[in-house]
Amino acid sequence: MDRPRILLTRALPEEGIERLHEECELDQWDHDHPMPRGELMERIASADALICLLSDRIDEELLRRGARLRAIGVYAVGYDNVDVNAATARGIPVFNTPGVLTDATADMAFALLLSLARRIVEGDRMVREGRFHSWGPKLLLGKDLRGSTLGVVGAGSIGGAVLRRGKAFGMDLVYHSRTRKDALESELGARYAGLDELLSVSDVVSLNVPLTSETHHLMGAREFGLMKDDALLVNTARGPVVDEVELYEALASGRIGGAALDVYEREPDVYAPLLKLDNVVLAPHLGSATVHTRTKMARMVCDAVLDHLSGGRPENCVNPSVLVSKGEGK
Ligand code: DGY
């Protein structure tokens, strides 16, 4: 078989993409900004497979142009940028990178939480701006995590890893998810609660759900109204899970205590009024951003696409019915 032509929409860690260089014709967008839509529309026409990022919109219109496409790899665990139904209708499997970024993302949730609870970013600004004049008994007092309640919304693998870290910090654990997780309850002593109850009892709410039509604006005015007035919100999931305008209102009015965000509703844009608040910590979508994790993600997505093209059956397929219907899935 001829070497397959793979369209890669961004430069990934080299160590993770060695197989692409060895086994295929690589058409790579080698810039530090997303491939413009027009370019993507043009180049997809000659691609046998696509490896894309969460910032690329893979929709019906694009798939129509990709007549040769036999696989889509998403360099992320979340794949809300891909119209999976449209891919499935065309018999195209979609692969993602579950598992390898669980710990890095849960670490990031805690890094954000600690920065917010212990006011590290405010302190950093104070030091740099020459406003640190003396140790002070009342200087930038924060919140203790030990003994406070951590509520995790979405208890998949990342949510579970956030709960584990919460236990290590001595927090009481509550979680909400579509199904109860016996293992989390017996292993960690986490208590299941409905979303409203979780919001009203938690001192920290961590969002760890995928973005779907059900989770879009899961957190709006009503939900912020249920939270404690000093509660902290951490979002390392997807921006549109939170209504950013309502979040701003809740923060500015003192309805909740603070927020730490890694993701944004209209990424990379941030609702500008949030930038003016001190009780907000903002990161540029760094959840999986460690050298080791990003390399593993690259390797995983490349392996899945290449193995599929050569007749294998990678497990990290989000629409495995495509493989089954082609007789490859059993
Ligand atoms: C994901 O994997 O979904 C992250 O948001 C990017 O690492």
Side-chain angles (χ1 to χ4, degrees):
M1 183 181 109
D2 284 347
R3 286 154 69 91
R5 187 171 172 84
I6 303 218
L7 175 58
L8 172 58
T9 64
R10 200 78 71 84
L12 302 186
E14 277 302 318
E15 230 187 285
I17 63 166
E18 282 158 356
R19 276 190 73 189
L20 292 186
H21 291 297
E22 285 159 15
E23 298 175 32
C24 62
E25 297 301 328
L26 186 56
D27 179 11
Q28 178 176 336
W29 177 254
D30 216 352
H31 302 273
D32 224 9
H33 58 271
M35 184 184 251
R37 177 78 177 172
E39 195 84 31
L40 187 54
M41 288 290 278
E42 200 178 308
R43 295 200 196 178
I44 196 82
S46 54
D48 297 303
L50 167 70
I51 298 180
C52 64
L53 268 60
L54 48 91
S55 43
D56 304 311
R57 186 162 42 87
I58 312 302
D59 56 9
E60 173 71 39
E61 183 193 32
L62 186 86
L63 295 179
R64 236 181 285 130
R65 294 287 291 266
R68 290 173 50 166
L69 265 195
R70 286 188 284 139
I72 298 172
V74 186
Y75 183 65
V77 66
Y79 47 88
D80 46 278
N81 62 311
V82 179
D83 183 339
V84 176
N85 289 334
T88 305
R90 287 177 162 69
I92 303 172
V94 178
F95 302 99
N96 67 341
T97 64
V100 293
L101 46 71
T102 300
D103 284 321
T105 309
D107 285 351
M108 186 66 190
F110 258 78
L112 285 170
L113 171 55
L114 287 165
S115 305
L116 181 65
R118 298 305 302 273
R119 307 180 66 176
I120 293 171
V121 176
E122 284 177 83
D124 179 271
R125 270 186 227 123
M126 174 180 277
V127 174
R128 286 172 199 269
E129 291 167 10
R131 290 183 287 112
F132 173 40
H133 303 302
S134 144
W135 182 90
K138 294 185 180 173
L139 182 65
L140 290 180
L141 302 188
K143 293 183 195 310
D144 291 303
L145 296 192
R146 179 167 294 279
S148 67
T149 297
L150 169 65
V152 169
V153 182
S157 45
I158 297 174
V162 171
L163 285 166
R164 265 180 209 101
R165 283 156 179 74
K167 184 164 174 88
F169 276 87
M171 302 174 86
D172 295 328
L173 307 179
V174 182
Y175 75 97
H176 175 72
S177 64
R178 277 178 309 182
T179 52
R180 283 183 73 146
K181 309 281 172 161
D182 293 341
L184 292 178
E185 295 184 24
S186 55
E187 180 201 339
L188 303 175
R191 183 171 73 78
Y192 179 85
L195 181 60
D196 288 2
E197 190 204 339
L198 177 147
L199 295 174
S200 62
V201 301
S202 298
D203 299 296
V204 175
V205 174
S206 172
L207 301 177
N208 298 101
V209 285
L211 175 61
T212 64
S213 50
E214 283 96 57
T215 62
H216 182 264
H217 282 191
L218 183 74
M219 294 299 296
R222 191 189 79 83
E223 289 71 25
F224 293 124
L226 295 171
M227 290 172 66
K228 295 183 180 179
D229 58 13
D230 60 349
L232 307 178
L233 178 78
V234 180
N235 188 9
T236 53
R238 283 290 183 267
V241 173
V242 174
D243 181 332
E244 256 172 36
V245 175
E246 295 301 342
L247 173 62
Y248 170 76
E249 293 301 330
L251 289 163
S253 64
R255 187 62 218 77
I256 67 171
L261 308 175
D262 190 37
V263 288
Y264 304 90
E265 205 177 336
R266 289 177 190 78
E267 217 167 295
D269 296 331
V270 181
Y271 181 56
L274 286 171
L275 302 173
K276 300 206 161 60
L277 300 178
D278 279 334
N279 53 346
V280 176
V281 172
L282 305 168
H285 204 147
L286 296 178
S288 60
T290 72
V291 175
H292 194 52
T293 298
R294 289 282 167 86
T295 302
K296 283 193 290 183
M297 289 166 66
R299 205 166 278 142
M300 187 174 196
V301 73
C302 293
D303 283 350
V305 166
L306 293 174
D307 289 351
H308 171 73
L309 292 180
S310 56
R313 190 193 162 204
E315 284 188 352
N316 45 323
C317 181
V318 307
N319 55 347
S321 64
V322 166
L323 305 179
V324 173
S325 64
K326 286 187 161 178
E328 298 167 15
K330 289 230 166 98

